[in-house]
Amino acid sequence: MASSAIASSSTSFIKKNEIGLSSFTPTSFPIQRCKRRALSKKVVSVMAPPQSDRRPSTTGSVKNAMTMTEKIMARASERSQVVPGENVWVNVDVLMTHDVCGPGTIGIFKKEFGENAKVWDREKIVIIPDHYIFTSDERANRNVDILRDFCGEQNIKYFYDIKDLGNFRANPDYKGVCHVALAQEGHCRPGEVLLGTDSHTCNAGAFGQFATGIGNTDAGFVMGTGKSLLKVPPTLRFVMDGEMPSYLLAKDLILQIIGEITVAGATYKSMEFVGSTVESLTMEERMTLCNMVVEAGGKNGVVPADSTTYKYLEGKTSVEFEPVYSDDSARFLAEYRFDVSKLEPVVAKPHSPDNRALARECKDVKIDRVYIGSCTGGKTEDFLAAAKVFLASGKKVKVPTFLVPATQKVWMDLYGMEVPGSGGKTCSQIFEEAGCDTPASPSCGACLGGPRDTYARMNEPKVCVSTTNRNFPGRMGHKEGQIYLASPYTAAASALTGFVTDPREFLQ
Amino acid sequence: MAAMAAASASVSVSNNPSFPSSQKRSPLLSSSQSFIRNLRMPTTHLIKSPLKHFSLSSSSTSPLIPLCATTDTTTTTTAATAFHGVCYVLGDNIDTDQIIPAEYLTLVPSKPDEYRKLGSFALIGLPSEIYPTKFIDSGELTSKFSIIIAGDNFGCGSSREHAPVALGAAGVKAVVAESYARIFFRNSVATGEVYPLESEGRLCEECSTGDVITIELADNLLINHTTGKEYKLKPIGDAGPVIEAGGIFAYARKTGMIPTLASSSA
């Protein structure tokens, strides 16, 4: 909670040269004790003891068991231990903002720190225009201009700009949807703290890091200080074991979980995903899992980093990182177990992500359109999954099917990557043969409605099956529109029949 | 940070598993608060900072200062103790897309004229068949309803700060819900736009849109004058003074926790 945390801070955290432990020592006691013990009788030098990168929280010398999330927050707050409920000032590794909340964040930063103030670290702020890009809305365009001016003025290292709206490919810097771009550009790293002015920032928990969404005011504060006051969340653990059936995707798993614990079931809590099924998931699928923890009210989601994570990160980042893992005896608020091999494809019916139903139970729901896109459902593998269904059926879609790749890289994959088992076809060829709309320019698109001229926005009260993450009233544009959230398999199957359809009809 | 650590070292940490909030006044926090009182910066900061803050504020010419509920941190020493007004009643899981639909997010809350415009669109995303009474009358910038009463999980969904800002700009002083989504609660406190109060029971089924309500903040009491009933609210706790000050920055300056940063760079 903001207030209590403020009340418990020291006075000096804003001034960079006074940060930390110089004036007050209590926090450093446990750390020093550990170091002394480690160095024991051997060291007799009068020089300052060597600085070790290994903090006590990552060594075996700490007796208090912690969860992954607790460990990350302990390290980020320079403590040996934290407990759920505690408010701590954490050092932020990366702050992300975009065109919707960036201008407001910048406004707060300037108002509070001064017109000429400098950001705390030009290399740790990542600014990604992605929400309202391909629109003639003047204010939306102006907001991207505000970002550009600020990034120029502050010499922000990572700004993924777009100037030529007529052809996104003429903008080599432009990426697209921030959460997917963060991962693809190497800004997501195990053990780190990533804050972003977007609730789906929790997506990055797939990398075994703490990532959560914050508002403009908090982001303005981070921009000036590199710090944020966070309450340590308790952790809910989700153990998913069993072989993933060929007709299921991570979207089915998270919709299953949200249906189980409701849209407020994880409020203020961390969600940790473990088990053999999770270990078998690709990074993109892990992102799908973590992306929607906020739909259960969760503060963050985490998947422990492993060889899949390291492989994905190869060549993407040169920053050193240090993963952390939950201790065996860590305390979890609750543990949920799933035998994934027994699950079936699910959807979330209007107008709530926890309004779960089996896809086959909704086979009589007639639909008007299908949307495949967004941070949670517009990644390369999401389109590969849809293509697999179209390929298996060999038929044409019966309703308009809109495809919005999350990023420029995803778009290129659709045109350049061969779909396994297709005899050399690309996704784009398969989509064309199936009668889908041509893949659009990468952005958040109609996932959240946006300006009236947004591609595929629901301007009329239609029924849509969508691979996005929210189906609140009006989410995709029209208040009376009905959105069924589903996996790319289910979305593609539904496109082929014109009804909500279990993908097993095509994938058996 | 150090003060916090010292405080937490002296108080054994409870393993109370109920965190979801907001209103908890843990012994840990209150003790660290008293601790910090002794560590406060010289009182000159208390006087100096708001002045600096104001002279630098680009929006100081406007009577409406976004993200600052109270206008003068030096003189506002008494708490806003009561709110009186007509209430608007909502159900469960009112998400931020209903509070301020995405098409209006091009409005930047830190720009005064756009702040006001955001207010005029507050709750425009509500389905009209469920909520036939308009929250804001056509052509108006603000609402005649200054108190919102809602069910569970108010403000779920996006992290858009535009949500509490739109409500505050529309003239809402307090929301009384059974529970809140985390980011909405935090944004309400950080901006100081609205008081996110929690009810003990299900007030959204006890009150109707249009009822005349008084909220006595100090007594944690909600009085429905239309029905003649009174209800207990959960204490706002440590969040209260932050909202009263006008948000997290204003509070930090008021209490001398942060120096007048702006002055060094001006």
Side-chain angles (χ1 to χ4, degrees), chain A residues 375-403:
Chain A
C375 48
T376 187
K379 304 181 293 303
T380 299
E381 290 174 17
D382 297 316
F383 288 103
L384 280 169
K388 193 172 151 190
V389 175
F390 292 137
L391 194 65
S393 84
K395 296 191 184 115
K396 286 200 177 280
V397 296
K398 291 196 170 146
V399 292
T401 301
F402 303 104
L403 313 166

Short mmCIF file of all heavy atoms in Angstrom, two decimals, chain A residues 375-403:
data_model
loop_
_atom_site.label_atom_id
_atom_site.label_comp_id
_atom_site.label_asym_id
_atom_site.label_seq_id
_atom_site.Cartn_x
_atom_site.Cartn_y
_atom_site.Cartn_z
N CYS A 375 -1.00 -9.28 -26.97
CA CYS A 375 0.20 -9.77 -26.28
C CYS A 375 0.04 -11.23 -25.87
O CYS A 375 1.00 -11.99 -25.88
CB CYS A 375 0.50 -8.90 -25.05
SG CYS A 375 -0.90 -8.58 -23.97
N THR A 376 -1.15 -11.61 -25.54
CA THR A 376 -1.34 -12.97 -25.05
C THR A 376 -1.69 -13.96 -26.16
O THR A 376 -1.49 -15.16 -26.01
CB THR A 376 -2.44 -13.01 -23.96
OG1 THR A 376 -2.50 -14.32 -23.40
CG2 THR A 376 -3.80 -12.66 -24.54
N GLY A 377 -2.16 -13.47 -27.29
CA GLY A 377 -2.62 -14.40 -28.33
C GLY A 377 -2.19 -14.04 -29.73
O GLY A 377 -2.78 -14.52 -30.71
N GLY A 378 -1.13 -13.22 -29.85
CA GLY A 378 -0.69 -12.80 -31.19
C GLY A 378 0.79 -13.05 -31.43
O GLY A 378 1.43 -12.34 -32.21
N LYS A 379 1.32 -14.05 -30.75
CA LYS A 379 2.73 -14.38 -30.91
C LYS A 379 2.89 -15.40 -32.06
O LYS A 379 1.91 -16.00 -32.51
CB LYS A 379 3.28 -14.96 -29.60
CG LYS A 379 3.05 -14.00 -28.41
CD LYS A 379 3.60 -14.52 -27.10
CE LYS A 379 2.91 -15.72 -26.53
NZ LYS A 379 1.46 -15.62 -26.30
N THR A 380 4.12 -15.61 -32.47
CA THR A 380 4.36 -16.51 -33.61
C THR A 380 3.70 -17.87 -33.41
O THR A 380 3.02 -18.39 -34.30
CB THR A 380 5.88 -16.68 -33.83
OG1 THR A 380 6.44 -15.40 -34.12
CG2 THR A 380 6.16 -17.63 -34.97
N GLU A 381 3.89 -18.43 -32.20
CA GLU A 381 3.33 -19.77 -31.97
C GLU A 381 1.80 -19.78 -31.95
O GLU A 381 1.19 -20.81 -32.25
CB GLU A 381 3.87 -20.33 -30.65
CG GLU A 381 5.35 -20.67 -30.75
CD GLU A 381 5.95 -21.08 -29.42
OE1 GLU A 381 5.19 -21.42 -28.50
OE2 GLU A 381 7.18 -21.06 -29.31
N ASP A 382 1.21 -18.65 -31.59
CA ASP A 382 -0.25 -18.57 -31.62
C ASP A 382 -0.75 -18.69 -33.07
O ASP A 382 -1.74 -19.36 -33.35
CB ASP A 382 -0.72 -17.26 -30.99
CG ASP A 382 -0.34 -17.15 -29.53
OD1 ASP A 382 -0.51 -18.16 -28.81
OD2 ASP A 382 0.13 -16.09 -29.10
N PHE A 383 -0.02 -18.02 -33.97
CA PHE A 383 -0.43 -18.10 -35.38
C PHE A 383 -0.09 -19.46 -35.97
O PHE A 383 -0.84 -19.99 -36.80
CB PHE A 383 0.23 -16.97 -36.18
CG PHE A 383 -0.36 -15.62 -35.87
CD1 PHE A 383 0.30 -14.72 -35.05
CD2 PHE A 383 -1.61 -15.27 -36.37
CE1 PHE A 383 -0.26 -13.49 -34.73
CE2 PHE A 383 -2.19 -14.05 -36.07
CZ PHE A 383 -1.51 -13.15 -35.24
N LEU A 384 1.02 -20.03 -35.52
CA LEU A 384 1.35 -21.38 -36.00
C LEU A 384 0.25 -22.36 -35.58
O LEU A 384 -0.15 -23.26 -36.35
CB LEU A 384 2.68 -21.85 -35.41
CG LEU A 384 3.95 -21.31 -36.09
CD1 LEU A 384 5.18 -21.62 -35.26
CD2 LEU A 384 4.10 -21.89 -37.51
N ALA A 385 -0.27 -22.17 -34.36
CA ALA A 385 -1.34 -23.05 -33.88
C ALA A 385 -2.60 -22.91 -34.72
O ALA A 385 -3.21 -23.90 -35.13
CB ALA A 385 -1.64 -22.72 -32.41
N ALA A 386 -2.95 -21.66 -35.02
CA ALA A 386 -4.13 -21.43 -35.85
C ALA A 386 -3.93 -22.04 -37.24
O ALA A 386 -4.83 -22.70 -37.79
CB ALA A 386 -4.41 -19.94 -35.95
N ALA A 387 -2.73 -21.84 -37.78
CA ALA A 387 -2.44 -22.37 -39.11
C ALA A 387 -2.56 -23.89 -39.12
O ALA A 387 -3.03 -24.49 -40.11
CB ALA A 387 -1.03 -21.94 -39.54
N LYS A 388 -2.16 -24.52 -38.03
CA LYS A 388 -2.22 -25.98 -37.93
C LYS A 388 -3.67 -26.46 -38.07
O LYS A 388 -3.95 -27.47 -38.75
CB LYS A 388 -1.65 -26.38 -36.57
CG LYS A 388 -1.35 -27.84 -36.40
CD LYS A 388 -0.62 -28.06 -35.08
CE LYS A 388 -0.90 -29.45 -34.54
NZ LYS A 388 -0.41 -29.60 -33.16
N VAL A 389 -4.58 -25.73 -37.44
CA VAL A 389 -6.00 -26.12 -37.53
C VAL A 389 -6.53 -25.91 -38.95
O VAL A 389 -7.20 -26.80 -39.52
CB VAL A 389 -6.85 -25.30 -36.52
CG1 VAL A 389 -8.34 -25.62 -36.69
CG2 VAL A 389 -6.39 -25.59 -35.10
N PHE A 390 -6.21 -24.77 -39.55
CA PHE A 390 -6.66 -24.51 -40.92
C PHE A 390 -6.11 -25.56 -41.87
O PHE A 390 -6.80 -26.07 -42.76
CB PHE A 390 -6.23 -23.11 -41.38
CG PHE A 390 -6.92 -21.99 -40.65
CD1 PHE A 390 -6.21 -20.88 -40.21
CD2 PHE A 390 -8.29 -22.04 -40.41
CE1 PHE A 390 -6.84 -19.84 -39.54
CE2 PHE A 390 -8.94 -20.99 -39.73
CZ PHE A 390 -8.20 -19.91 -39.30
N LEU A 391 -4.85 -25.89 -41.65
CA LEU A 391 -4.19 -26.88 -42.51
C LEU A 391 -4.86 -28.25 -42.37
O LEU A 391 -5.14 -28.92 -43.37
CB LEU A 391 -2.72 -26.96 -42.09
CG LEU A 391 -1.75 -27.66 -43.00
CD1 LEU A 391 -1.62 -26.89 -44.31
CD2 LEU A 391 -0.37 -27.77 -42.33
N ALA A 392 -5.15 -28.61 -41.12
CA ALA A 392 -5.76 -29.92 -40.88
C ALA A 392 -7.14 -30.02 -41.50
O ALA A 392 -7.55 -31.08 -41.98
CB ALA A 392 -5.84 -30.18 -39.37
N SER A 393 -7.86 -28.90 -41.50
CA SER A 393 -9.23 -28.96 -42.03
C SER A 393 -9.26 -28.84 -43.55
O SER A 393 -10.11 -29.45 -44.21
CB SER A 393 -10.07 -27.84 -41.43
OG SER A 393 -9.89 -26.64 -42.15
N GLY A 394 -8.36 -28.04 -44.09
CA GLY A 394 -8.36 -27.80 -45.53
C GLY A 394 -9.57 -27.01 -46.00
O GLY A 394 -9.83 -26.90 -47.20
N LYS A 395 -10.32 -26.45 -45.06
CA LYS A 395 -11.53 -25.71 -45.43
C LYS A 395 -11.32 -24.21 -45.30
O LYS A 395 -10.27 -23.75 -44.86
CB LYS A 395 -12.69 -26.15 -44.53
CG LYS A 395 -13.07 -27.60 -44.69
CD LYS A 395 -14.38 -27.86 -43.96
CE LYS A 395 -14.75 -29.33 -44.02
NZ LYS A 395 -14.74 -29.97 -42.70
N LYS A 396 -12.39 -23.50 -45.65
CA LYS A 396 -12.34 -22.03 -45.56
C LYS A 396 -13.10 -21.56 -44.33
O LYS A 396 -14.04 -22.23 -43.88
CB LYS A 396 -12.96 -21.42 -46.81
CG LYS A 396 -12.06 -21.53 -48.04
CD LYS A 396 -12.49 -20.51 -49.08
CE LYS A 396 -11.58 -20.53 -50.30
NZ LYS A 396 -10.33 -19.81 -50.10
N VAL A 397 -12.69 -20.40 -43.84
CA VAL A 397 -13.38 -19.84 -42.68
C VAL A 397 -14.78 -19.39 -43.08
O VAL A 397 -15.02 -19.00 -44.23
CB VAL A 397 -12.61 -18.66 -42.06
CG1 VAL A 397 -11.26 -19.13 -41.52
CG2 VAL A 397 -12.43 -17.52 -43.04
N LYS A 398 -15.71 -19.45 -42.10
CA LYS A 398 -17.09 -19.06 -42.39
C LYS A 398 -17.43 -17.68 -41.87
O LYS A 398 -18.52 -17.16 -42.13
CB LYS A 398 -18.04 -20.09 -41.79
CG LYS A 398 -17.95 -21.42 -42.52
CD LYS A 398 -19.14 -22.31 -42.21
CE LYS A 398 -19.12 -23.53 -43.15
NZ LYS A 398 -19.64 -24.72 -42.51
N VAL A 399 -16.54 -17.11 -41.07
CA VAL A 399 -16.76 -15.76 -40.57
C VAL A 399 -15.47 -14.96 -40.80
O VAL A 399 -14.39 -15.54 -40.92
CB VAL A 399 -17.11 -15.75 -39.06
CG1 VAL A 399 -18.46 -16.37 -38.80
CG2 VAL A 399 -16.02 -16.44 -38.24
N PRO A 400 -15.59 -13.62 -40.84
CA PRO A 400 -14.39 -12.80 -41.00
C PRO A 400 -13.37 -13.14 -39.91
O PRO A 400 -13.74 -13.22 -38.73
CB PRO A 400 -14.89 -11.37 -40.85
CG PRO A 400 -16.33 -11.43 -41.22
CD PRO A 400 -16.81 -12.79 -40.79
N THR A 401 -12.14 -13.37 -40.31
CA THR A 401 -11.10 -13.76 -39.35
C THR A 401 -9.95 -12.77 -39.44
O THR A 401 -9.29 -12.66 -40.47
CB THR A 401 -10.64 -15.19 -39.65
OG1 THR A 401 -11.78 -16.05 -39.56
CG2 THR A 401 -9.58 -15.66 -38.68
N PHE A 402 -9.78 -12.03 -38.35
CA PHE A 402 -8.80 -10.94 -38.31
C PHE A 402 -7.52 -11.40 -37.63
O PHE A 402 -7.57 -12.03 -36.57
CB PHE A 402 -9.38 -9.74 -37.57
CG PHE A 402 -10.67 -9.24 -38.17
CD1 PHE A 402 -11.88 -9.51 -37.54
CD2 PHE A 402 -10.67 -8.52 -39.35
CE1 PHE A 402 -13.07 -9.07 -38.09
CE2 PHE A 402 -11.85 -8.07 -39.90
CZ PHE A 402 -13.07 -8.34 -39.27
N LEU A 403 -6.40 -11.09 -38.23
CA LEU A 403 -5.11 -11.52 -37.71
C LEU A 403 -4.24 -10.30 -37.46
O LEU A 403 -3.97 -9.53 -38.38
CB LEU A 403 -4.41 -12.44 -38.73
CG LEU A 403 -5.28 -13.55 -39.34
CD1 LEU A 403 -4.59 -14.15 -40.56
CD2 LEU A 403 -5.56 -14.64 -38.31
#
